[in-house]
Amino acid sequence: MAIRKIAQMGDPVLRRRAEEVPPAELASAAIQRLIDDMIETMRDADGAGIAAPQVNESLRISVIEVVRNPRYPDFPGIPFTVLVNPLIEPLVGTSPLAERDSIVMYEGCLSVNGIRGRVRRPRKVRVRGLDREGHALDFTWEGVPAAVVQHETDHLDGILFVDRADPRSLTFLREYDRYVPRELRLVDGVELVD
Ligand code: NI
């Protein structure tokens, strides 16, 4: 396993539509090594998730994990998940996206170093795809996990959170720490960084 360099905003790899992984190639040493490296890179950087384009591989793979933090006993974390060729289907009305159907939270990104911004997304999504062994996945996430899986899947379509953020909410980390009130950083009882 190896920690890989994380592409930063401006790198064209972050703006391409990533390629589907042919299921027959999922078991290959190269793809399995890539997944191991993504896990190690995400954990090393304290990210909530990472997508393959962020480590310079234009493939439709993401990994997600938020370890339960005793500081936020109401938030159970997000189970460790490897998602290959994911499809995301909002389970709420989206046009227009009503307030009760949305989750609004400050997001950050390992590829947009040092910036946070408020993003509104559908609150509940169905997620389908494959795990790293090629088994079918089909589950529903709501709240913070739903926002995270949408953020990671956006990466596979060349979309960064800054494209969806309220532009007037964008803030550097120093100013975020200084000026964003704590209640605005907390969503469903958790403060999520990356
Ligand atoms: Ni990101």
Side-chain angles (χ1 to χ4, degrees):
M1 298 222 286
I3 293 166
R4 298 215 188 178
K5 190 169 173 213
I6 298 174
Q8 291 299 305
M9 180 168 64
D11 190 323
V13 74
L14 295 171
R15 292 307 195 176
R16 245 174 254 144
R17 187 183 189 280
E19 301 286 326
E20 301 269 330
V21 179
E25 285 176 27
L26 190 47
S28 70
I31 299 278
Q32 292 296 316
R33 191 180 321 115
L34 167 62
I35 292 171
D36 286 339
D37 289 352
M38 287 169 63
I39 295 164
E40 191 170 359
T41 304
M42 170 185 70
R43 288 177 176 162
D44 176 71
D46 281 327
I50 200 166
Q54 294 183 272
V55 294
N56 245 300
E57 300 279 354
S58 201
L59 289 168
R60 301 186 78 78
I61 304 172
S62 65
V63 297
I64 293 171
E65 179 183 51
V66 178
V67 177
R68 193 190 156 92
N69 185 332
R71 277 166 63 206
Y72 310 110
D74 294 337
F75 186 69
I78 305 178
F80 171 70
T81 305
V82 177
L83 261 178
V84 178
N85 300 338
L87 287 172
I88 304 287
E89 177 193 351
L91 294 179
V92 293
T94 52
S95 53
L97 183 56
E99 199 159 328
R100 68 173 181 285
D101 290 336
S102 345
I103 177 164
V104 182
M105 57 187 280
Y106 273 93
E107 296 188 13
C109 180
L110 299 176
S111 294
V112 188
N113 211 1
I115 293 179
R116 300 276 185 271
R118 272 165 80 79
V119 182
R120 196 154 82 104
R121 300 181 184 272
R123 162 169 284 281
K124 190 174 182 184
V125 292
R126 179 178 180 185
V127 181
R128 277 173 284 188
L130 302 174
D131 69 11
R132 69 183 298 172
E133 276 97 40
H135 303 125
L137 295 174
D138 186 345
F139 54 87
T140 297
W141 274 353
E142 193 169 359
V144 177
V148 172
V149 74
Q150 290 177 81
H151 176 121
E152 296 311 328
T153 306
D154 271 351
H155 275 300
L156 309 182
D157 293 322
I159 296 167
L160 299 175
F161 84 91
V162 289
D163 306 346
R164 300 197 188 276
D166 170 1
R168 292 179 60 91
S169 74
L170 292 172
T171 170
F172 293 111
L173 204 48
R174 183 168 166 271
E175 285 69 23
Y176 175 84
D177 287 336
R178 187 172 289 185
Y179 298 114
V180 175
R182 190 165 166 77
E183 60 270 21
L184 279 183
R185 302 185 201 180
L186 295 171
V187 176
D188 291 357
V190 69
E191 181 179 9
L192 204 67
V193 178
D194 281 303

